[in-house]
């Protein structure tokens, strides 16, 4: 017998740990990517400012990689201990992305230190840049594979079947997931998963580059330097473009996936708090291009499988509203740092300079964090209380939502005793590790030597 919901304390432990790890991973992806971009600009222009930026961000990327790799071990240990059945799902059906991710991780941990310690060692500098490029691609490919697994948790890949074992193994393992054919394992990367994946990768770049830009603006206002201005003039247009693509293109396709494959999550995040089938003209226009389509309301499903009713605050309030404000702020800063406030017709930018630029460092970081948290909560909590979610059409009512429950008899380890004191200790580690990485970056940027 299984229970749908896992203990709240266990869910908080995993949620905080995964969010902290995502922060470290996002910062690594963003910093190593910018290091490669900066070195490319140096190789093309021979401008020493770009070389300084490339070397600086390569070291920062190494810090985030080192702390993130160690912290990732803790998170993986937590997955095994708290959610024992997840290991079975990996071995029986979800193994391919993890297998590929192993090689992507090796690319990172081998090539990033080589990239950092071989500046000026190559007669042809393009060879050094190529090492950095492959390391950055390894980081992106690592994210690609992990996000493929996260996509499967929310949208069961085609051909993947859930098998309930006739007898549990060690009172822990109750379910397995297998593909109906050996080639079906490639469906881990089906088109729906790819949309989810690229949505996540862009979100990581937006979060990290927003933080980098925010810190750079703060530093530039305190101590103006030409290389900081060059960094801002490169990153701000790219950040604005990424936010636009994320919200207007990839986000739209991601929304279509939710409409098609998870109507219960759709009703929860959109705040469709009614029972039965009802036409929603605005949502119908956004999803189908007309105003005639109807949707099943949140209360059409049993209370035991409904996601939390607070999801609209995270989806509409944090992710959507936060993302729109972040894009608008980034666009305004782009116009400002390209001196458009000095051009006739753009004088209004000068009028809001104190708010735009003075508040920019804080607004970019805060809005990017809120949008990221909103997106993560929407994706992960929105599929509760199941993983490997699948909606089965019904002729007599709303689609039946199936999957593996996260509670006892499902993913959660029933032999585990999680005390508040143990949880508090784990929470402390989960919060200290990212703080440690940020402090190490601070020490490096201030050129302090710690014996």
């Amino acid at each position: 017998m299984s229970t749908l919901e896992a203990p709240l304390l266990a869910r908080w432990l995993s949620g905080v740990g995964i969010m902290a790890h995502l922060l470290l991973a996002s910062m690594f992806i963003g910093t190593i990517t910018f290091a490669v971009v900066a070195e490319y600009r140096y190789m093309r222009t021979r401008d020493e400012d770009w070389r300084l930026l490339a070397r600086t961000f390569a070291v920062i990327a190494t810090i985030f990689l080192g702390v993130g790799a160690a912290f990732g071990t803790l998170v993986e240990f937590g997955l095994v201990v708290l959610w024992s059945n997840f290991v079975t799902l990996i071995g029986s059906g979800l193994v391919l992305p993890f297998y590929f991710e192993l090689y992507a991780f090796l690319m990172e941990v081998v090539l990033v230190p080589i990239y950092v310690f071989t500046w000026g060692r190559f007669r042809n500098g393009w060879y050094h840049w190529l090492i950095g490029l492959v390391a950055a691609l390894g980081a992106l490919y690592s994210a690609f594979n992990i996000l493929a697994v996260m996509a499967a948790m929310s949208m069961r890949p085609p051909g993947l079947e859930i098998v309930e074992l006739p007898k549990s193994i060690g009172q822990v393992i109750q379910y397995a997931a297998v593909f109906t054919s050996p080639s079906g394992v490639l469906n881990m990367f089906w088109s729906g998963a790819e949309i989810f994946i690229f949505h996540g990768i862009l979100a990581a770049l937006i979060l990290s580059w927003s933080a980098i830009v925010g810190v750079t603006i703060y530093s530039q206002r305190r101590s103006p330097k030409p290389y900081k201005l060059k960094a801002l003039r490169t990153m701000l247009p790219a950040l604005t473009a990424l936010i636009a693509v994320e919200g207007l293109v990839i986000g739209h396709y991601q929304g279509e996936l939710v409409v098609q494959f998870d109507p219960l999550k759709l009703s929860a995040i959109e705040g469709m708090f009614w029972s039965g089938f009802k036409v929603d003209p605005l949502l119908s226009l956004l999803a189908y291009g007309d105003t005639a389509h109807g949707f099943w309301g949140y209360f059409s499903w049993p209370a035991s499988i409904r996601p939390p009713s607070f999801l609209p605050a995270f989806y509409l309030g944090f992710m959507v509203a936060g993302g729109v404000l972040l894009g608008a702020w980034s666009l305004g800063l782009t116009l400002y740092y390209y001196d458009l406030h000095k051009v006739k017709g753009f004088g209004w930018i000068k009028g809001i300079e104190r708010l735009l630029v003075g508040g920019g460092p804080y607004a970019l970081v805060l809005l990017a964090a809120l949008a990221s948290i909103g997106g993560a909560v929407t994706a992960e909590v929105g599929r509760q209380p199941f993983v490997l979610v699948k909606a089965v059409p019904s002729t007599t009512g709303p689609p039946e939502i199936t999957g593996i429950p996260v509670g006892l008899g499902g993913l959660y380890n029933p032999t585990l005793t999680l005390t508040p004191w143990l949880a508090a200790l784990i929470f402390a580690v989960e919060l200290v590790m990212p703080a440690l990485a940020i402090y190490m970056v601070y020490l490096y940027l201030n050129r302090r030597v710690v014996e």
Side-chain angles (χ1 to χ4, degrees), residues 1 3 11 22 30 34 62 68 87 100 155 176 201 308 341 352 354 373 378 393 423 450:
M1 178 65 68
T3 58
R11 291 168 59 188
L22 288 177
F34 184 69
T62 306
V87 180
F100 289 157
M155 300 176 294
I201 289 176
H341 58 286
I352 60 171
R354 184 174 181 179
I373 292 171
T378 298
V450 180

Side-chain angles (χ1 to χ4, degrees), residues 82-154:
L82 290 174
W83 317 101
S84 303
N85 208 94
F86 189 65
V87 180
T88 305
L89 300 183
I90 294 173
S92 62
L94 311 180
V95 66
L96 188 61
F98 283 104
Y99 180 76
F100 289 157
E101 198 276 336
L102 174 63
Y103 291 97
F105 180 69
L106 288 175
M107 290 168 62
E108 299 168 25
V109 298
V110 171
L111 293 178
V112 169
I114 294 175
Y115 182 61
V116 170
F117 290 107
T118 55
W119 285 94
R121 301 295 180 89
F122 294 92
R123 184 170 298 176
N124 186 340
W126 286 107
Y127 291 141
H128 182 266
W129 176 79
L130 185 61
I131 292 173
L133 176 63
V134 176
L137 291 176
L140 293 170
Y141 190 53
S142 179
F144 182 94
N145 286 289
I146 294 300
L147 286 166
V149 177
M150 295 178 68
M153 295 292 100
S154 294

Side-chain angles (χ1 to χ4, degrees), residues 244-314:
V245 172
E246 175 83 330
L248 300 177
V249 181
I250 306 296
H252 174 73
Y253 288 122
Q254 178 82 356
E256 288 185 341
L257 287 175
V258 176
V259 170
Q260 182 176 358
F261 294 104
D262 198 346
L264 176 54
K265 177 189 283 189
L266 175 71
S267 68
I269 65 177
E270 292 287 352
M272 298 158 58
F273 297 130
W274 63 75
S275 181
F277 194 76
K278 178 180 175 182
V279 174
D280 187 319
L282 179 58
L283 185 58
S284 176
L285 182 64
L286 294 173
Y288 298 102
D290 60 50
T291 58
H293 279 77
F295 304 90
W296 289 100
Y298 177 77
F299 295 108
S300 303
W301 285 272
S304 60
I305 68 169
R306 293 198 296 256
S309 59
F310 60 70
L311 282 176
F314 284 89

